[in-house]
Amino acid sequence: MRTPRSRTRTETLEPGAVIGARDLTAVSGTRIAVPDGSRLTHLQFRRFAGCPICNLHLRSVVQRHAEITRAGIQEVVVFHSPAAELREYATDLPFAVIADPVKRLYAEFGVESSPRSLLHPRAWAPIARAVLRSTWAILRGRERPPSRRQPGGRLGLPADFLIAPDGRVLAAKYGEHAYDQWPVDELLALAAGTPVPSGPRSEGAS
């Protein structure tokens, strides 16, 4: 992973901020440019490999990935699990999956953890659905259970960023609980309704 400059403290990014160009390495080994330079990037931060709540949301992204691609969006998903562990879960995903076990990107983009990720009342129903779905899938041999040991913790909050080709943050969402993220319809609406600054990838961070 190459970054031109890392943030030294946690701070949130607001629309209008400009992120520096970086090349990330997906767990597949593919190099991913963020920003892309020719299309929008949806950078989303999830929790750990095999997280039932993350899997519930990512199923909807997988099902509509063709629509996302047609809208000119590069989908990039970050987890705070090691690459070797993530590969077991990411083989069938049609988008880039990035391992960030030391949470360097999480800190740079101001993505935090909090007990409210699981304790917020609005998270309870999605958590119940996610656990039931994952349990059934594991029993049928279609999914692997997550590791019992999670060095990065289990209280991560999600975050979404829509990034223009020139590195400008067009929209950002910091989740209030573990299942508080942009649904696909909202992502597509943001992409359709937001002017896209064009130009070369920025080499400096805001």
Side-chain angles (χ1 to χ4, degrees):
M1 182 185 302
R2 175 179 63 82
T3 60
R5 186 175 67 185
S6 297
R7 295 175 185 270
T8 57
R9 62 186 178 86
T10 300
E11 56 183 286
T12 59
L13 294 181
E14 301 295 332
V18 178
I19 67 166
R22 79 273 329 276
D23 292 317
L24 306 177
T25 302
V27 297
S28 65
T30 304
R31 301 297 292 274
I32 304 297
V34 176
D36 177 83
S38 61
R39 55 180 173 167
L40 298 169
T41 296
H42 175 213
L43 181 65
Q44 58 171 300
F45 289 82
R46 307 308 310 178
R47 287 149 48 91
F48 50 87
C51 164
I53 304 169
C54 304
N55 290 346
L56 182 65
H57 170 61
L58 291 181
R59 283 182 67 223
S60 66
V61 178
V62 170
Q63 290 168 355
R64 302 182 64 183
H65 188 250
E67 290 179 66
I68 294 170
T69 301
R70 285 197 299 270
I73 303 170
Q74 168 185 234
E75 190 72 45
V76 181
V77 184
V78 183
F79 286 85
H80 57 69
S81 294
E85 185 176 343
L86 269 174
R87 287 190 192 100
E88 300 180 12
Y89 300 88
T91 54
D92 296 330
L93 297 179
F95 41 75
V97 176
I98 308 297
D100 184 20
V102 298
K103 292 189 171 182
R104 181 185 304 170
L105 288 171
Y106 288 78
E108 182 178 350
F109 282 80
V111 184
E112 299 181 333
S113 298
S114 171
R116 73 176 184 273
S117 67
L118 301 179
L119 298 178
H120 195 294
R122 291 186 180 179
W124 297 345
I127 288 172
R129 293 201 311 272
V131 170
L132 287 172
R133 191 205 68 81
S134 285
T135 299
W136 180 240
I138 290 168
L139 290 174
R140 299 179 69 187
R142 295 185 175 181
E143 289 185 7
R144 294 172 56 88
S147 173
R148 293 183 179 181
R149 183 174 178 271
Q150 296 296 338
R154 297 176 180 269
L155 301 178
L157 291 165
D160 294 88
F161 302 90
L162 187 63
I163 303 169
D166 68 349
R168 192 171 306 279
V169 176
L170 301 176
K173 178 179 179 62
Y174 290 91
E176 292 295 322
H177 56 77
Y179 200 70
D180 185 19
Q181 67 271 310
W182 288 334
V184 174
D185 282 340
E186 186 169 355
L187 170 64
L188 295 175
L190 285 168
T194 306
V196 180
S198 60
R201 298 171 64 202
S202 169
E203 293 298 330
S206 63

